[in-house]
Amino acid sequence: MGQILCGNKKPKSYTINNIVYKREKLIGEGAYSYVYMVKKNGKNYALKLIPLISPETEKIAKTEVYISKTIQHDSVCYLLDHEMIPQSNGLSTALLLFGYCNGPNLANFSGKLDEELLYDYFFQMLQAVQVLHCKYEVAFLHNDIKESNFMLTSDDGGRTYRVVLIDLGSCKATPIYINSRLEALRYEEIFQMECTSLYRAPELFQVPNPGVLGLGSDIWSLGCTLYSLAYGYAPFEGTALSAISANIKFPIDHSHHYRPIVQQLIRAMCNSERSKRPTIKSLIEQYPSS
């Protein structure tokens, strides 16, 4: 199937555990996957295809299956079904079936939201991340928080939209203990592959040795995401130096005027000292009313 995906011929349907879904259209494409809208009995679904071309992609697929089955919450896009399909080339393709989000992702609104919607959507984003951080025995780090990994979906024909967190393939159970320089370098390579550089926390560029990694890097990424949603571009350059310096500059033009609390939240979340960043729980408890 990996060969089919890269060529001109694409199957008209996909079968998961003997259930056939009709392919409608490509709706997303990542570094390691393709996402199609598929349909069965008039209902739309999102089907994620991950060609298992390396140990890394196999691990990503297995991680997403495990965590997406574990997390059952309306704020997170959870797994409905999955199957690993062997291909004629000796490799396999992972097919992961999710509920379909009928709205766009939040990257479409960067720099375009009024204050009320910015507050509303970001609060829902915090609630979605809280599901990973706090709702289960294991605290999960999402590890690739950015606006394009939050979808909008409507349950009332488009009158209102709610936010759904997607793409759990990079998730990590925390805490992560680093006991050697070799381990630190290995994790730096992992984070380079899995966590988008513009939203990557300083401790993921330079993993401490010895050290412990927790949930704080998601908080940093949320701060970067709020900045991007508010102003239309990321606050840092995607380099270790820019992240470590944590020198945030805010635009001064009047087209991006929000209450001071927006900049205060961003500064708090994008603190280069991990211990001084707020937790997801404290952010929600202290979140300003719109």
Side-chain angles (χ1 to χ4, degrees):
M1 189 172 294
Q3 292 175 334
I4 293 174
L5 286 170
C6 296
N8 293 323
K9 290 182 62 180
K10 297 181 178 66
K12 294 182 179 180
S13 64
Y14 297 99
T15 302
I16 305 177
N17 295 317
N18 299 317
I19 300 176
V20 178
Y21 299 87
K22 180 185 176 185
R23 179 178 61 83
E24 295 291 323
K25 61 181 179 179
L26 180 71
I27 56 175
E29 187 172 340
Y32 309 103
S33 63
Y34 305 83
V35 183
Y36 289 91
M37 186 180 84
V38 297
K39 183 172 288 189
K40 177 175 173 55
N41 296 332
K43 186 174 181 179
N44 294 330
Y45 300 89
L47 179 63
K48 188 171 190 176
L49 283 74
I50 308 176
L52 306 182
I53 58 175
S54 67
E56 289 77 19
T57 54
E58 186 172 353
K59 184 177 181 181
I60 287 170
K62 288 181 177 179
T63 296
E64 185 150 16
V65 167
Y66 168 70
I67 297 182
S68 299
K69 287 173 66 176
T70 301
I71 305 297
Q72 297 287 311
H73 196 279
D74 286 343
S75 295
V76 180
C77 196
Y78 53 84
L79 192 67
L80 300 173
D81 203 355
H82 75 283
E83 188 173 5
M84 306 295 180
I85 307 294
Q87 303 300 312
S88 58
N89 58 8
L91 301 175
S92 295
T93 297
L95 276 63
L96 282 62
L97 187 73
F98 297 94
Y100 179 70
C101 294
N102 53 26
N105 70 55
L106 283 175
N108 289 274
F109 301 98
S110 290
K112 302 174 184 177
L113 293 173
D114 62 34
E115 189 170 67
E116 183 178 354
L117 273 180
L118 179 71
Y119 276 32
D120 179 25
Y121 287 162
F122 192 69
F123 185 66
Q124 291 187 56
M125 292 161 68
L126 294 177
Q127 291 177 311
V129 174
Q130 185 185 37
V131 173
L132 293 180
H133 285 197
C134 304
K135 298 297 186 184
Y136 296 87
E137 291 184 8
V138 176
F140 293 109
L141 177 77
H142 183 277
N143 197 38
D144 197 21
I145 295 290
K146 54 187 176 182
E147 57 267 41
S148 61
N149 276 338
F150 291 92
M151 298 293 298
L152 293 178
T153 193
S154 177
D155 303 314
D156 57 10
R159 289 188 293 275
T160 59
Y161 285 89
R162 58 184 177 86
V163 175
V164 178
L165 177 61
I166 65 170
D167 200 359
L168 306 184
S170 299
C171 282
K172 302 279 182 289
T174 63
I176 301 170
Y177 294 98
I178 309 297
N179 298 307
S180 69
R181 181 58 183 156
L182 188 62
E183 273 192 326
L185 290 172
R186 181 170 66 87
Y187 271 104
E188 285 177 12
E189 290 180 359
I190 290 171
F191 294 131
Q192 183 178 4
M193 181 177 70
E194 296 180 352
C195 183
T196 304
S197 61
L198 288 171
Y199 304 82
R200 194 183 308 158
E203 64 271 19
L204 304 190
F205 280 103
Q206 295 183 358
V207 173
N209 168 41
V212 181
L213 298 175
L215 302 170
S217 56
D218 272 357
I219 302 300
W220 172 281
S221 299
L222 280 166
C224 296
T225 301
L226 177 57
Y227 186 105
S228 183
L229 280 174
Y231 303 115
Y233 55 92
F236 304 109
E237 298 173 357
T239 64
L241 181 61
S242 65
I244 291 168
S245 67
N247 182 22
I248 304 175
K249 296 180 179 179
F250 293 97
I252 58 175
D253 66 276
H254 293 283
S255 64
H256 294 101
H257 255 350
Y258 300 106
R259 281 181 278 174
I261 188 62
V262 172
Q263 294 187 8
Q264 293 168 15
L265 282 169
I266 292 168
R267 290 190 187 280
M269 290 185 283
C270 292
N271 194 316
S272 59
E273 295 186 44
R274 290 181 286 161
S275 62
K276 294 184 178 180
R277 292 175 207 154
T279 64
I280 198 73
K281 182 179 179 182
S282 66
L283 282 168
I284 289 174
E285 288 175 347
Q286 300 170 24
Y287 198 75
S289 56
S290 58

